Amino acid sequence: MTTVEKVAMGIIGIAMATTLVLPGRQTSKIIDSVSSLFRGSLATAMASPKR
């Protein structure tokens, strides 16, 4: 397993644990914020504006 895969699995694991612990189970907000993080990182890498 490469370092990138380990980091990605760690982020996903933390997000899943956070979703279980949050009051009111705000799963949709967590999923939106994680996907926004990845979209923002990808947009930065490609030097394009976020949409």
Side-chain angles (χ1 to χ4, degrees), residues 10-45:
I11 291 171
I12 291 170
I14 291 170
M16 291 177 73
T18 302
T19 301
L20 294 173
V21 174
L22 285 175
R25 309 256 181 172
Q26 301 174 1
T27 306
S28 61
K29 290 181 182 179
I30 297 295
I31 292 171
D32 287 341
S33 66
V34 170
S35 66
S36 174
L37 171 71
F38 286 117
R39 276 194 309 257
S41 299
L42 185 59
T44 301

